[in-house]
Amino acid sequence: MAQWTSAVGAAQLARQLNAQQARPQGPGTRKPPAYRALADGIRLLVLEGRVPVAARLPAERELAVALAVSRTTVAAAYEALRAEGFLESRRGAGSWTAVPAGNPLPARGLEPLPPESLGSVIDLGCASLPAPEPWLTRAVQGALEELPPYAHTHGDYPAGLPALRQMLADRYTARGIPTMPEQIMVTTGAMGAIDAICHLFAGRGERIAVESPSYANILQLMREAGARLVPVAMAEGLTGWDLPRWRQVLRDAAPRLGYVVADFHNPTGALADEDQRRGLVDAARSAGTVLVVDETMTELFLDADVVMPRPVCAFDPSGSTVLTVGSASKAFWAGMRIGWVRAAPDVIRSLVAARAYADLGTPVLEQLAVTWLMSTGGWEEAVEIRRTQARDNRDALVAAVRRELPDWEFDVPSGGLTLWVRTGGLSGSRLAEMGERVGVRVPSGPRFGVDGAFEGYVRLPFTVGGPVADEAAVRLAAAARLVESGATSGTEAPRTFVA
């Protein structure tokens, strides 16, 4: 049985390699032998996630024709990659990309730091902001006033409080997506929603297509559920999905589910346009793949000129192909563990029935708080506070990183909460390790990939601003110097920062 889960065509790989060679080289750079340059180019594409791990590469003859080089050059490059652990082969099955044994692989996402550590460590691990007061306090007070009638019941509402389901349905309808309350299930955060979907649709061993990179905690959730993840590389920059790749993966791998973040993608910040949304839904429908669309960032547009495309579910009115997941965590507060799923009524009924063996339901008080926010206009005012915080933090962090680390590369997204940063050739895993020593906590790129990709990246969220953003960049620069020096032992005491 072949070990590859997707394939890369010769013409596609040649385009990627040629684009890579077009990047400026440093002064005095010596030109390596042709086979070595080809092997290094493919290895870098794998480590950056541009070519997924477990992707079948073209046959030697096909790639030689596409690159206009000799077959001997390609054969030597493939042999070098096999020797280094970046390629595996089997007679009759071809060759597919791999990551060497011992390469740092992520085990889990980053858990938030305990509050008592925040005085000495700047936490850039968690893409969440403090609550937008006074709206949290007002929402809880409003919820307490509405609580007494519910206290006289058993308190279990597996599909969610009827009032909140109606409110969420009305909000989708207002966005141009007619929705009934029967199409909504309230969950314990977006993670609870996606966990329920994975257990219903994708049993152990099923394939799930995921963007590469993607949200670290969701990737880990799917791994622990026993899924086989099939990575699909994002398009360059902030341009969203690479539709030809998605079509190929959906056709060749036939995944049961596909997980995507269309709005201000985590971690890249990309915003998929309407043509991409329509095209992906059509491709998924043709392949029999159910799309799980994460909308947790959809309200966090930060620039005045952003024109939001229609939701992905607009291209699947019946809700049979697209399952939409939303949450209060990013737009309002991570401590408000309220999420939801929008889908066809029969899908919702199946999810609700399966929930009896999981968490039974979502806390009533938090549901009442979100209902109060959405029914009083408080939600819109709170989200506007959140946008202002995120915009100011983004601008401060961008300026600070550009000043302290001018070799690091990134595109500035027009929304969301994260920067996806190429670290000038430094190991993201080593930067994360050294960052802990100098008092800044940052997640490395491999946490957001499948099987060790994105070693040359880190994710920086817009969670700090002003002088704290400046200090975070100073500490990141100190971590970078430690990595460049090859430091392996000893510690530099973290400085206490007082905002």
Side-chain angles (χ1 to χ4, degrees):
M1 179 179 175
Q3 300 298 306
W4 50 273
T5 56
S6 61
V8 181
Q12 177 187 348
L13 183 56
R15 283 195 301 271
Q16 290 178 277
L17 289 165
N18 290 333
Q20 186 185 73
Q21 291 170 3
R23 292 181 185 173
Q25 302 294 315
T29 302
R30 296 180 61 184
K31 188 174 181 180
Y35 86 90
R36 184 69 260 172
L38 176 55
D40 288 346
I42 294 173
R43 177 175 54 81
L44 184 59
L45 288 173
V46 172
L47 287 175
E48 290 193 345
R50 312 314 309 172
V51 169
V53 175
R56 186 179 187 273
L57 294 187
E60 294 171 2
R61 189 185 304 277
E62 294 175 2
L63 186 56
V65 170
L67 291 172
V69 300
S70 72
R71 182 178 177 183
T72 302
T73 296
V74 177
Y78 277 16
E79 183 57 36
L81 289 168
R82 276 190 287 269
E84 296 163 3
F86 285 94
L87 197 68
E88 296 181 10
S89 303
R90 180 181 300 168
R91 185 177 298 277
S95 299
W96 55 91
T97 55
V99 171
N103 223 57
L105 298 181
R108 301 189 59 82
L110 279 179
E111 292 79 16
L113 277 177
E116 61 269 17
S117 301
L118 295 178
S120 60
V121 178
I122 298 175
D123 187 7
L124 297 181
C126 190
S128 298
L129 288 162
E133 288 288 31
W135 291 106
L136 174 61
T137 299
R138 292 181 182 177
V140 173
Q141 290 171 341
L144 287 171
E145 293 175 1
E146 299 293 330
L147 183 61
Y150 295 93
H152 295 291
T153 73
H154 50 61
D156 287 336
Y157 295 87
L161 294 185
L164 181 54
R165 296 176 74 196
Q166 182 68 62
M167 188 66 61
L168 292 167
D170 290 347
R171 291 177 70 84
Y172 278 107
T173 300
R175 294 169 67 191
I177 318 296
T179 303
M180 305 177 294
E182 292 79 9
Q183 291 178 264
I184 301 292
M185 181 176 84
V186 180
T187 62
T188 307
M191 291 285 289
I194 294 170
D195 182 60
I197 291 168
C198 287
H199 279 88
L200 180 64
F201 283 91
R204 185 166 294 275
E206 291 275 8
R207 290 175 175 172
I208 301 179
V210 295
E211 297 153 322
S212 183
S214 186
Y215 178 37
N217 288 335
I218 293 296
L219 294 180
Q220 186 61 25
L221 181 156
M222 292 174 175
R223 290 187 190 103
E224 293 186 355
R228 298 172 62 193
L229 302 184
V230 183
V232 187
M234 297 287 289
E236 291 287 345
L238 298 175
T239 54
W241 301 319
D242 186 329
L243 269 185
R245 292 191 184 193
W246 269 100
R247 292 191 184 101
Q248 182 179 26
V249 166
L250 293 174
R251 181 181 64 248
D252 295 346
R256 184 71 183 91
L257 291 178
Y259 169 74
V260 296
V261 184
D263 303 317
F264 311 120
H265 174 258
N266 185 356
T268 68
L271 177 64
D273 63 31
E274 285 211 4
D275 287 342
Q276 291 174 324
R277 296 168 190 235
R278 181 185 294 106
L280 185 58
V281 171
D282 289 345
R285 185 181 294 115
S286 297
T289 298
V290 175
L291 280 181
V292 182
V293 179
D294 187 334
E295 282 195 339
T296 52
M297 298 283 188
T298 193
E299 296 193 66
L300 293 178
F301 50 88
L302 305 182
D303 296 332
D305 59 350
V306 176
V307 178
M308 291 299 295
R310 283 181 290 171
V312 178
C313 58
F315 305 100
D316 178 47
S318 68
S320 58
T321 296
V322 176
L323 310 184
T324 304
V325 172
S327 171
S329 295
K330 300 299 184 185
F332 186 74
W333 185 47
M336 187 70 75
R337 304 303 303 156
I338 298 295
W340 53 86
V341 182
R342 180 201 181 273
D346 62 313
V347 173
I348 294 298
R349 286 193 294 270
S350 297
L351 287 169
V352 171
R355 193 174 195 180
Y357 307 101
D359 63 355
L360 294 178
T362 302
V364 169
L365 189 63
E366 283 87 338
Q367 291 187 73
L368 288 173
V370 173
T371 304
W372 184 92
L373 283 166
M374 291 182 172
S375 63
T376 61
W379 179 270
E380 284 70 24
E381 294 201 35
V383 171
E384 189 54 45
I385 292 173
R386 172 67 74 241
R387 291 192 192 110
T388 300
Q389 290 175 321
R391 184 186 307 114
D392 291 347
N393 287 356
R394 178 198 63 181
D395 295 347
L397 187 63
V398 164
V401 173
R402 283 177 171 165
R403 181 179 63 250
E404 300 294 335
L405 294 149
D407 293 336
W408 288 18
E409 302 172 58
F410 53 86
D411 295 294
V412 181
S414 56
L417 288 171
T418 57
L419 284 180
W420 184 237
V421 182
R422 181 185 280 121
T423 56
L426 299 179
S427 161
S429 299
R430 294 284 290 144
L431 281 165
E433 179 185 356
M434 296 303 163
E436 296 275 358
R437 299 185 181 186
V438 299
V440 60
R441 194 164 183 257
V442 59
S444 63
R447 293 185 180 276
F448 304 90
V450 175
D451 295 332
F454 304 109
E455 185 56 56
Y457 288 80
V458 293
R459 188 194 72 171
L460 304 181
F462 318 146
T463 52
V464 296
V468 188
D470 293 337
E471 178 66 13
V474 168
R475 296 187 187 188
L476 284 171
R481 288 192 296 272
L482 286 173
V483 173
E484 289 172 335
S485 71
T488 58
S489 61
T491 59
E492 181 174 330
R495 291 172 286 172
T496 300
F497 183 82
V498 180

